[in-house]
Amino acid sequence: MTDSIYEEIGVSPVINATGTKTRIGGSRIRPEAADAMQRAADGFARISDLQARASTLIQDATGAEAGYVCSGASACLTMAAAAAIAGTDLEAMAQLPDTDGLADEIVIPRTHRSGYDHAYRVAGASIVDVGTNDAHLGTGSVNTEPWEIDRAISEETAAVAYMQKSYTDPPLETVVEIAHDHDVPVIVDAAAELPPVTNLNRFVDLGVDLVAFSGGKAIRGPQTTGILAGREDLIRSVAAQHLDMHAAEPAWTPPSSLLDVEELGGVPRQGIGRGMKVGKEELVGLITALTAFLEDDHDENATVWRARSERIAQELAESPGVETRLTAAEKTSVAPEVVVSVDASVADSSAVDIVRGLRTEHPRIYVGADDLDADALTINPMCLTDDEAEYVLERLRTYL
Ligand SMILES: *Cc1c(COP(=O)(O)O)cnc(C)c1O
């Protein structure tokens, strides 16, 4: 902790006990990926060749026709929307995010709406949400009826979007069937749905047209990477709208798997994705990290995470006024989190005091703050080392 580069440049380091959160740097990049990035930095390759190489790997990993690396899962969603709206039409690509005269609606079940919807709107899409919040509120039994999605699709529809969580409904199969009946693609946000590693194939197998995963969460690649997997024609549209396009046509020989020069009929202008570029280092890092992720012992990781959480839960439960429990791994996080409920009338501090206090320490300690309303803080084992877990326990005890 003391030889941290953050320390060296005068920035307080963070001990991450809250999981793969972008605002504190996501995940711990795999050493082999960091090493590969260092080597990539010292030379050159065509970005389009690196994307074509990544596409082959993503095909193998997911079973999709093609793949692409964007600057995060969020950027994947923007590019997915741009591909769904513009297809291979050069003029439409150049026009985005202005969608005058283009089908630009993305239909989303209301309970799948999230802050990440903004990623679709960046490309010019307008969101049409359908259904209710009845099942979540307890005011009815069904949030979105399949027919509501069916009726919302029109000539103006570019895509149907789906947020994949273990508890989202209607079932993805049903949504895919409805969308495909109308010849409309389905985009799935599965940014945080790895592991299980089987999810890499699952959505492709269910027939979705594009699915996005974060490269910087459990894959532990560079923070600014995301994987888009899906239909070849849509991935070609993504490439045409994302790659640097300042090319002289007579000398333009991009890899044919990514850019079909005949199909396009001309050189695209810099596209909507140009500002979300991915460098050679990130591409090499992601390729290395995804390869390693596929070879990981995921059972072993799960065992380590569970043991770490169980130990933390047991230790903290010994303090007066504190109760602990583990969340089921499937609910909101891929690893079991420790929920630490603090009764401020018995313990020395409240959950809010502890969360705020830990964040101002040096190094800062980040525990989860999503359950403060219920007087609880959470601890996620994924981004901690054993030493850091001990340090977090030691610091927590001083508040209790
Ligand atoms: C993390 C996350 C994203 C964004 O992923 P980035 O790779 O950070 O861009 C999008 N959607 C969901 C559901 C996420 O959890």
Side-chain angles (χ1 to χ4, degrees), residues 129-150:
D129 70 7
V130 294
T132 65
N133 199 23
D134 271 338
H136 288 179
L137 291 171
T139 44
S141 61
V142 176
N143 288 319
T144 308
E145 294 287 356
W147 65 260
E148 291 177 293
I149 298 174
D150 182 65

Side-chain angles (χ1 to χ4, degrees), residues 60-393:
D60 290 345
T62 64
E65 289 172 8
Y68 198 84
V69 179
C70 301
S71 57
S74 194
C76 287
L77 302 179
T78 302
M79 296 316 298
I85 295 169
T88 49
D89 179 347
L90 288 183
E91 198 183 343
M93 290 178 190
Q95 185 186 323
L96 295 185
D98 170 1
T99 56
D100 249 10
L102 305 172
D104 71 352
E105 291 181 359
I106 296 194
V107 174
I108 309 184
R110 182 154 294 156
T111 48
H112 296 223
R113 295 292 311 272
S114 83
Y116 294 106
D117 296 350
H118 205 150
Y120 298 122
R121 292 193 289 119
V122 167
S126 42
I127 308 269
V128 174
D129 70 7
V130 294
T132 65
N133 199 23
D134 271 338
H136 288 179
L137 291 171
T139 44
S141 61
V142 176
N143 288 319
T144 308
E145 294 287 356
W147 65 260
E148 291 177 293
I149 298 174
D150 182 65
R151 298 299 159 81
I153 298 175
S154 71
E155 291 297 302
E156 297 306 314
T157 307
V160 175
Y162 193 95
M163 172 69 83
Q164 175 58 37
K165 291 284 166 191
S166 54
Y167 45 85
T168 39
D169 64 341
L172 185 53
E173 302 80 313
T174 309
V175 174
V176 168
E177 199 180 310
I178 295 167
H180 287 182
D181 272 349
H182 292 272
D183 260 336
V184 165
V186 176
I187 302 166
V188 172
D189 178 353
E193 304 312 301
L194 297 172
V197 67
T198 47
N199 272 355
L200 279 170
N201 295 89
R202 181 166 151 225
F203 311 111
V204 174
D205 289 347
L206 288 174
V208 313
D209 300 272
L210 288 170
V211 54
F213 299 101
S214 254
K217 291 181 179 167
I219 292 175
R220 294 175 54 202
Q223 254 303 284
T224 49
T225 56
I227 294 170
L228 195 56
R231 252 167 56 193
E232 199 178 353
D233 59 320
L234 292 169
I235 294 291
R236 281 204 304 271
S237 172
V238 167
Q241 299 186 74
H242 182 263
L243 290 169
D244 181 61
M245 280 296 160
H246 205 89
E249 186 160 18
W252 193 43
T253 53
S256 56
S257 59
L258 272 186
L259 287 166
D260 185 334
V261 175
E262 300 267 295
E263 173 188 62
L264 287 168
V267 183
R269 289 287 181 193
Q270 301 288 20
I272 189 94
R274 180 61 182 79
M276 297 176 260
K277 77 176 175 186
V278 181
K280 58 191 187 314
E281 297 83 6
E282 282 76 27
L283 273 153
V284 168
L286 187 275
I287 289 169
T288 309
L290 179 56
T291 305
F293 176 74
L294 293 171
E295 289 163 4
D296 246 359
D297 185 340
H298 296 280
D299 291 339
E300 167 70 13
N301 288 342
T303 307
V304 169
W305 292 337
R306 174 159 289 276
R308 189 174 292 146
S309 285
E310 278 170 356
R311 171 166 160 66
I312 294 170
Q314 258 168 23
E315 292 271 329
L316 291 177
E318 283 167 18
S319 300
V322 176
E323 273 179 35
T324 61
R325 65 182 173 84
L326 296 197
T327 58
E330 321 75 59
K331 183 71 173 116
T332 51
S333 162
V334 294
E337 293 190 332
V338 189
V339 180
V340 184
S341 303
V342 183
D343 179 349
S345 65
V346 180
D348 277 346
S349 329
S350 70
V352 173
D353 295 338
I354 299 170
V355 167
R356 290 175 69 110
L358 289 171
R359 287 181 183 197
T360 54
E361 290 192 6
H362 190 92
R364 299 181 191 280
I365 297 175
Y366 268 65
V367 296
D370 290 348
D371 291 342
L372 286 180
D373 283 351
D375 297 320
L377 55 92
T378 54
I379 297 174
N380 183 304
M382 283 176 77
C383 298
L384 290 170
T385 62
D386 283 337
D387 284 350
E388 287 170 349
E390 286 309 311
Y391 181 73
V392 171
L393 266 177

